[in-house]
Structures are given as structure tokens and as C-alpha cells.
Amino acid sequence: MINRRRLLILAGAAGASTIAAPFVRPSWAQSNTLKIGLLLPSSGTYAPLGEAITRAVELYAKQQEGKLAGRDIVFVKVDDASEPAKATENTTKLISGEKVDVLVGTVHSGVAMAMAKIAREDGLPTLVPNAGVDALTRGACAPNIFRTSFGNGQIGDATGQAMLKAGIKRAVTVTWKYAAGEEMVGGFKKAFIAGGGEIIKDITLPFPDVEFQSILAEVGSLKPDAVYSFFAGGGALKFIKDYAGARLNERIPLWGPGFLTDGIEKAAGSAGDGVKTALHYVESLDNPENKKFSEEFMAAYKVTPDVYAVQGWDAMQLLRIGLEAVGGDTKKRPEMLVAMRNASFDSPRGPFKLGPSHNPIQNFYLRELRGGENKLIGIAAEKLAGDTTGCKMT
Amino acid sequence: MSLVLVQILNGLQYGLLLFLAASGLTLVFGILGVINLAHGSFYMLGAYLAVTLTAQFGDIFVALAVGIPLAFLFGAAIEWLFIRHLYKRDHLQQVLLTFALILVFREVQQTLWGNHPLSIPTPSYLSSSIALTPDLGYPVYRFALMAICVALALAMMFVIQRTRVGRLIRAAESNPEMVEALGYDSRILYRMVFAAGVTLAAAAGILAAPIESAYPGIGDRVLIISFVIVVVGGIGSIRGAFLGSLLIGLADAFGKVFVPEFSSVLIYAVMALILVVRPSGLFGRA
């Protein structure tokens, strides 16, 4: 029988216990929950990428029985919608509002740059599971920011090396006139020219123009050995189809960074046959870690994991190494950051370790699109570090 | 065949497709006086409709035949639900409502078809290429597309210039009260005009689908360029839209190759130039 007095006593006791809680625990113990902020898109164009990363991160947590270095994982999710305009507000919400212990984000490079600016000032351990903007591990690098994905220029670099190996001497580049395109082409040109290749012409279109007929006519008249191109999504699909429609694919091989064919393998159909790309992950990679990861991911979500899932998975692997080095005590920030900086582990993509600017040193694989699938045909570049120019770790 | 001739072909083909989209906008704008920002969304819905219908019937032309009446009915329904309330209101309210429609249609697209680009096979009998130069082919489907666009343009001009319905539409544009007095219901007339505008945009989207694929935001650029064409050609003028489309298509094709760094602003430069010479467009009434 609960009467009013009993209720009061109960409420008082409950209140007292919550107030007293911090004083009861030994002073060295912190709250045993580990708050991981996930700044990822769950709406907008990049929502599928955000979902893949989230799934991998949650799968990893589940496998660790919800704990990292003895602390209970709590995810705090914020949808950044891939909108740079809201990036500062969303990042602040997680860092100052939610007071997360670590931050994982994000997909869109513009959002990532705004996020990194705040994270850098705060010093919070931050892991970037996708955004490829070069500056993040060059001019805007920071001791507390770690990338588990790739740099745009790095992929271009790898593709350039693969093209040189294939005996290509003269190339034309085609991309949209926007940051990602310029970086993917920039990294490619640097490697290609350094290896003795010649760029006949750089063709750019205003973003997101997809009227390619005119430039295809030009490519045909320039007669290069190969075309290096970067477009994404619908634009990439249309470019590949128009390229085949103009019959250029019969004479001039089409190359590009892996993201040229990402997500459009099936839709491209026979038009995509023969397109060669370089990427740091291929689903069919034969290593124990990838086999295990693919099976577990498949069991949990009924789909094969993609490159984004791998990047999310590795963000958790890296975080675990950092946390275990300090016994889960995120207050020991400097030691944690050093441990993460020096981490090396087996990723589904192959051996993973970070370079001096906290961008992964990793293998890039050469793939050829055939029958709606990117087939592994070789190594584009081994243990490639990418450009770290302009990075000062202070 | 030199690069210049190939570019003329590219420009004409692009221009003809733009004409299909822009003519619908100029009809609605010129006759109903409604600024329809959702015009590009109807193009987008056409492209996605093509994906679904082609999967169902296996051929883009069957999809077109089924899609046109569907688009007409859909357009009529949208007019009855929303647009008819806008005729007597100012442009700002029209912009507000049609912009809201853009957001709604975008959500509909994401819910029904998702965010991944979807592609549509060109019909097998049109999937070959004709060799224009030893090292450049031109897809047969694009030639077919040009032929269809020309046929539709001629049919539209015939309807507006030579038929009773066309006369009524032209009359309703200049003097709706007189048309009413003669016993015609201008509300039905307006509904048909709006539905025709939607149908033209959707037809352009359906026809473009095999070469464009369908992806989010496909209609955005179409909307902007359609407005440019309407302004260049003169508001309400089908002939103006036709010439304006070809002009913009050619400017785009040549700009990309001969002045690439200037190409993104070229069509707007063309527009500005024409407006300086003829402030109400090529065939606009001053």
C-alpha cells in the first residue's frame, strides 16, 4: 500500500541518491558511459553512406558487447543532412551540448571542414569515416583528427600510378569544376606527370552539368591513350553511358577514381564494361579480416558491406586502440591521441596504419567493371601515403 | 565531319529537348500568368515514371504512350487542387506555392524511388551508334529523340495556330471575359492548358530518361534553363521558345568546347544580350 507519506519518502530517497551519486563513487572513476557522437547524414543525397557507416559502427559495438576499454558505449546521433550551413551548429550540439567523449563524422567534405575547425579548437578525439577533402590531412590537419577513409588526391595518385603501369602516356582529364573534382584530378596529374605521362587537356564542366555530348566530341578529336574522369552519382552514370554511346569506349579506355563507378555498377549495364578504377577497398578482397567482416555484416544487415562500412568499422577499431591504451580514461587525452596516431591493425581493406598527417597509408586496388560488378584485377598502388604538404601538427 | 558540325548536331539535339520542356512553361506562364517553379519537378517525375513504366512494359515508347495520359491527368489534378487558386493572386504567392510543390515532389521521389541513380535501357533497335567521324559515334536514340521533338513541336504549333482549341486558348489569353461571354468555360480551358504544360515537361523527362537516367535533382537545371528560354523567346510564344531553345542549346555546345571557362555563364550572357536588344524577348509582345 503506497500512501502519500511513503511516496514522499521514496521520492526523497531517490532524489538524494542521484545527488549523492557523484560523491559516493571514488574520485578517480568517471561516469562509466562512453559517449560517442555520430555526426552523419541520415537524410539527403548522402544518407545511404551515412547509413552504411552507422551500421558498421553499431555492429562493432555489438560485437564488443557494448563496451570499449570497459566503458559502456552510448551513441548520440545527429543528422548533419550534408549541409555545411548547419555544420557548426550540429558539431557544437555534440561537443558542447552533449559533451561527447569522442566524435565520429562525417561524409560530406564541406561539413567535415566546419566540424574539424571546432574539433581542432576543442581537442576532442575526432575520427573521420569518409570525407576525402585533402585539406583535412594537409593544411587543416590536427593532432586530434584522424581519417580512416582516404584523401581525394590520394585516390587520384593511385589511379595515375595504375595508368602509368598500364602503359598509358597521354591522357585527357574530365571532371566537374568543383572541389572534389579538382582534388581527384590534382592528385592524378601530379603522379601521372611525375611518372613521365603527359596531360593533353583538362576538361571541366560547371557542376552539376550533365550535358556531355560536346566534350565527348572533343575527347574523340584529341585522341588520348586514355581518359581520367571523375563524376559522382547520376552524373557519373550518364557520363559512362554517353561515353559508350559515342563509341569512345571502343578506342579510348575510361579510367577514374573508384567513386566514379560507386553505386552505379548495375545501372551502367554493358556501357560500364571495361571502366577501370582504383579504390582502397574491393568487396572480394581475400584476407581473414574482410572475410569475417563481410560475413558478420551480411548476417546482421542482409547486404554486403561497402567501402563506407569498412571506413566506419575502422574508425571503431582505431578508437578501441586509443581507449585501451589509456584504460578507457578519456581524460588522458594526449596519451590516447599518441596511441591512435601509432596504431596499426588489420582492416578489411588490408593493413592499416596512419601517416604523419593522420591519413591512412593503405593499398589501392585496381578494379575493372564487368557485368555490373567491380572485379579486382590487380594492385594500383601499394602502401600509398598520399600528399601531406602543408600539415603542421601543432 | 569536323568538330564544328558535330557540335552543331549536339546543340540542336540538346536544344530540341529543352524546347519540349520550355514550351510547357511558356504556355502556362503566357496563358495562365502563373509562375510555375515546379515545372522542373514534372520533368523529374517524368524521368522516374519512365523508369517504372519501362520496367513494366519493357520499352521507352510504350512508357511514353502510357505516361502522356497519366501526366495529363496528374497535371489536371494539380491544377484543380492548387493552381486554380493562383490565377487572381500575385506572383509572390504563386512562387511560394509552386516552390512548396518542389519540396513535396522531391520527398515523393525519395520515398518511392530512393536516392540512387536509376537507369533505363535504350530500346535495342535504337541502341547502336552511327559513326560520324572515324573516332566518334552518335547514338541512334538521339536522332530518334530529335525526330520526336520536331514532330511534337510541329504538332503543337499546328494545334495552336490552326485548330478551334488553339484559337480558344489564344483568345482566352488576350480576353478571357469575351471567351466566357461566348459560352466557353475558361476554367476547363485553363485546366487543360496547365495539364498540357505538365505533360510537355513530363514527356521531355520520359524521353530524356534513357540518356539522362533518373536521379534526384535532375529537374533543377531544366527549370532554370526553361525560364531562360521563356525569357529569351518571349513569354507565351511557342515560336520564341523554339528558337530560344536552339540558341541556348547551340551556345551550350559551343561554349563548352571553345570557351570552357566561360561556359557556365554563356547562356545567361546570351539571355542578357537578347534582352538588351529586345527587352520582351525574341517574339514577346512589348
Side-chain angles (χ1 to χ4, degrees):
Chain A
M1 162 102 194
I2 291 189
N3 56 26
R4 194 181 296 181
R5 178 175 300 185
R6 181 102 187 258
L7 198 66
L8 270 174
I9 292 169
L10 270 174
S17 68
T18 51
I19 294 167
F23 306 104
V24 179
R25 263 198 270 129
S27 60
W28 50 262
Q30 47 197 327
S31 135
N32 203 38
T33 54
L34 173 78
K35 265 192 172 182
I36 302 179
L38 294 181
L39 182 70
L40 292 164
S42 51
S43 62
T45 318
Y46 292 128
L49 282 61
E51 185 189 44
I53 294 165
T54 306
R55 281 175 159 185
V57 164
E58 287 178 339
L59 180 67
Y60 193 90
K62 208 169 78 190
Q63 287 209 345
Q64 301 292 325
E65 284 156 8
K67 284 186 188 315
L68 279 182
R71 291 178 65 182
D72 300 321
I73 299 171
V74 177
F75 289 117
V76 186
K77 294 179 189 171
V78 168
D79 175 17
D80 70 27
S82 297
E83 287 191 22
K86 296 182 193 153
T88 304
E89 183 195 339
N90 285 332
T91 309
T92 311
K93 204 185 290 176
L94 284 168
I95 295 182
S96 316
E98 292 283 349
K99 302 222 175 344
V100 295
D101 297 303
V102 289
L103 181 58
V104 175
T106 179
V107 171
H108 184 281
S109 281
V111 179
M113 286 305 283
M115 174 198 81
K117 193 163 173 266
I118 301 168
R120 184 184 191 155
E121 282 163 20
D122 188 272
L124 186 78
T126 302
L127 298 100
V128 182
N130 186 61
V133 55
D134 283 343
L136 212 50
T137 53
R138 288 184 58 181
C141 74
N144 62 311
I145 296 173
F146 304 88
R147 178 145 61 189
T148 59
S149 52
F150 61 92
N152 290 337
Q154 191 186 19
I155 301 192
D157 186 335
T159 317
Q161 293 189 34
M163 285 168 74
L164 287 165
K165 276 183 215 157
I168 291 159
K169 296 271 182 291
R170 302 161 69 253
V172 166
T173 69
V174 186
T175 189
W176 278 316
K177 201 169 180 55
Y178 76 142
E182 279 162 16
E183 293 187 347
M184 295 257 185
V185 166
F188 158 74
K189 280 171 74 173
K190 210 168 166 180
F192 191 67
I193 293 168
E198 181 202 347
I199 308 282
I200 306 173
K201 189 162 185 183
D202 294 311
I203 300 173
T204 56
L205 282 97
F207 177 79
D209 194 338
V210 292
E211 216 32 60
F212 299 119
Q213 283 309 105
S214 319
I215 59 166
L216 292 176
E218 192 181 12
V219 167
S221 66
L222 290 167
K223 298 192 177 86
D225 297 343
V227 169
Y228 173 89
S229 67
F230 171 65
F231 295 99
L237 179 59
K238 184 165 190 290
F239 183 74
I240 288 171
K241 287 175 84 177
D242 286 356
Y243 197 85
R247 285 175 152 177
L248 289 172
N249 58 341
E250 295 166 16
R251 285 173 206 82
I252 309 167
L254 184 59
W255 291 69
F259 296 115
L260 176 69
T261 57
D262 185 68
I264 57 162
E265 297 90 342
K266 299 244 176 328
S270 61
D273 283 349
V275 177
K276 290 192 178 74
T277 55
L279 197 67
H280 48 290
Y281 178 68
V282 188
E283 281 165 29
S284 61
L285 270 186
D286 187 16
N287 66 53
E289 182 69 24
N290 189 37
K291 197 166 175 298
K292 186 166 141 285
F293 172 64
S294 300
E295 277 169 11
E296 283 160 0
F297 199 91
M298 190 78 197
Y301 304 113
K302 313 283 175 281
V303 287
T304 48
D306 54 15
V307 64
Y308 310 105
V310 172
Q311 292 164 178
W313 181 257
D314 288 342
M316 290 299 275
Q317 296 216 70
L318 185 59
L319 182 58
R320 182 178 160 195
I321 289 172
L323 282 166
E324 284 180 348
V326 292
D329 186 357
T330 36
K331 295 219 174 33
K332 295 181 180 164
R333 220 176 245 180
E335 295 90 327
M336 183 177 163
L337 296 181
V338 167
M340 285 164 79
R341 180 184 174 86
N342 298 326
S344 76
F345 53 85
D346 288 329
S347 154
R349 72 185 91 173
F352 181 105
K353 75 188 226 296
L354 290 168
S357 68
H358 296 182
N359 189 58
I361 296 173
Q362 55 193 340
N363 295 338
F364 281 82
Y365 304 96
L366 183 58
R367 307 125 22 112
E368 185 176 351
L369 194 54
R370 278 267 163 238
E373 200 187 323
N374 276 308
K375 299 213 181 344
L376 178 64
I377 57 169
I379 301 268
E382 213 160 350
K383 298 208 170 92
L384 185 69
D387 198 343
T388 61
T389 317
C391 172
K392 291 186 194 67
M393 284 284 178
T394 45
Chain B
M1 198 159 169
S2 71
L3 188 60
V4 172
L5 286 173
V6 174
Q7 293 307 16
I8 288 174
L9 193 64
N10 286 329
L12 288 177
Q13 186 259 307
Y14 183 40
L16 284 168
L17 189 67
L18 287 178
F19 166 70
L20 215 50
S23 58
L25 189 68
T26 209
L27 272 181
V28 170
F29 202 6
I31 294 167
L32 310 182
V34 172
I35 295 184
N36 176 21
L37 287 187
H39 195 72
S41 303
F42 295 121
Y43 179 94
M44 177 273 290
L45 288 172
Y48 277 98
L49 192 63
V51 172
T52 305
L53 293 175
T54 312
Q56 196 70 35
F57 301 109
D59 188 297
I60 189 73
F61 296 114
V62 181
L64 185 69
V66 177
I68 282 180
L70 277 179
F72 194 86
L73 289 173
F74 182 68
I78 294 290
E79 196 275 350
W80 181 75
L81 279 167
F82 304 108
I83 308 296
R84 66 186 174 129
H85 307 291
L86 295 175
Y87 299 140
K88 299 220 162 32
R89 293 172 188 253
D90 65 44
H91 286 327
L92 193 63
Q93 290 180 330
Q94 298 172 354
V95 164
L96 206 59
L97 191 137
T98 53
F99 184 73
L101 286 179
I102 292 184
L103 301 179
V104 172
F105 292 145
R106 182 168 296 169
E107 282 305 314
V108 166
Q109 168 256 309
Q110 290 188 349
T111 312
L112 290 179
W113 291 285
N115 268 325
H116 273 294
L118 301 168
S119 100
I120 297 130
T122 32
S124 53
Y125 48 91
L126 293 177
S127 63
S128 57
S129 296
I130 294 170
L132 292 183
T133 66
D135 45 22
L136 188 77
Y138 208 77
V140 175
Y141 181 78
R142 286 181 185 265
F143 285 113
L145 192 64
M146 286 160 93
I148 293 168
C149 289
V150 170
L152 282 169
L154 290 172
M156 203 161 27
M157 287 182 194
F158 176 80
V159 167
I160 287 178
Q161 297 297 334
R162 301 252 178 259
T163 65
R164 190 187 185 83
V165 174
R167 277 201 297 276
L168 278 176
I169 287 172
R170 279 179 291 146
E173 179 193 1
S174 52
N175 197 337
E177 293 81 9
M178 184 53 89
V179 176
E180 290 270 335
L182 290 170
Y184 294 101
D185 187 345
S186 66
R187 285 175 311 173
I188 302 287
L189 211 56
Y190 278 18
R191 193 157 305 151
M192 281 172 64
V193 170
F194 187 81
V198 169
T199 307
L200 284 163
I206 293 171
L207 285 168
I211 48 177
E212 280 241 42
S213 308
Y215 55 90
I218 189 172
D220 300 357
R221 203 173 44 103
V222 172
L223 171 73
I224 295 164
I225 296 190
S226 294
F227 267 108
V228 170
I229 289 167
V230 169
V231 170
V232 164
I235 291 166
S237 164
I238 295 287
R239 233 177 332 167
F242 188 73
L243 277 177
S245 301
L246 295 186
L247 202 65
I248 295 293
L250 288 166
D252 184 83
F254 279 95
K256 269 186 196 137
V257 173
F258 297 108
V259 278
E261 51 286 327
F262 191 58
S263 71
S264 54
V265 292
L266 192 67
I267 57 169
Y268 304 103
V270 169
M271 174 175 79
L273 200 70
I274 285 167
L275 291 183
V276 166
V277 182
R278 293 190 64 106
S280 48
L282 293 173
F283 290 90
R285 278 180 239 123

